Amino acid sequence: MSLDSTRQPAPPISVAIVDDEPVVRMGLEGLLKRSPGFTCGGVYSDAESAIAGLPNRPPNVLLMDIQLPEISGLEITKMLKADDDPRVIPVVAVTAFAMKGDEQKIRSGGCDGYIAKPISRSEEHTSELQSPYVISY
């Protein structure tokens, strides 16, 4: 058995962030920078900028705050998934909703993954972004 030495490494997973809290955005961006195999594919501070920017620069995965002030993250997720574009962006909810049943409600609302806030500084959350249910190579 021989190994193919010409095989190229997988490109980094592009992850966009939608969150209205500057500290959360900076923390998530820092987590991506420290995590091999990931790159930040855009940062949006509100629903309007996300809705305008995501179609122009679609990431591989979208980290979506559920409690945005103007439009909820679940509404944005439904809008993104309602599009007939076959390149639907997998959405991972990043939320303070961490009560029993919240994860199921969020997944039923269209999200492909779930990360509860507060997010630790460790890289344990990157496994949710690599889940085969969220992204495939």
Side-chain angles (χ1 to χ4, degrees):
M1 179 168 87
S2 66
L3 296 176
D4 183 1
S5 61
T6 62
R7 185 174 169 189
Q8 297 293 319
I13 297 170
S14 172
V15 181
I17 300 164
V18 180
D19 201 298
D20 61 319
E21 292 293 329
V23 172
V24 174
R25 288 193 309 268
M26 289 183 343
L28 289 170
E29 204 169 357
L31 176 65
L32 292 172
K33 286 179 183 177
R34 292 189 312 272
S35 301
F38 292 92
T39 185
C40 186
V43 180
Y44 305 95
S45 61
D46 56 46
E48 185 177 321
S49 65
I51 292 167
L54 286 167
N56 300 322
R57 195 172 160 200
N60 299 115
V61 179
L62 178 59
L63 293 177
M64 176 71 72
D65 181 16
I66 298 302
Q67 292 182 285
L68 294 169
E70 312 89 27
I71 304 172
S72 80
L74 286 178
E75 287 301 314
I76 297 171
T77 299
K78 288 176 188 172
M79 290 167 54
L80 292 171
K81 302 241 176 182
D83 191 354
D84 289 334
D85 190 339
R87 300 169 297 157
V88 174
I89 303 167
V91 178
V92 175
V94 179
T95 182
F97 291 128
M99 300 297 288
K100 185 177 181 176
D102 285 339
E103 180 176 359
Q104 184 56 41
K105 287 177 191 171
I106 287 168
R107 288 183 184 267
S108 295
C111 292
D112 303 286
Y114 173 90
I115 298 173
K117 291 180 184 177
I119 297 173
S120 67
R121 295 183 139 193
S122 74
E123 280 72 25
E124 65 190 53
H125 298 295
T126 57
S127 64
E128 181 71 30
L129 302 179
Q130 293 172 321
S131 165
Y133 300 108
V134 173
I135 188 168
S136 60
Y137 294 95

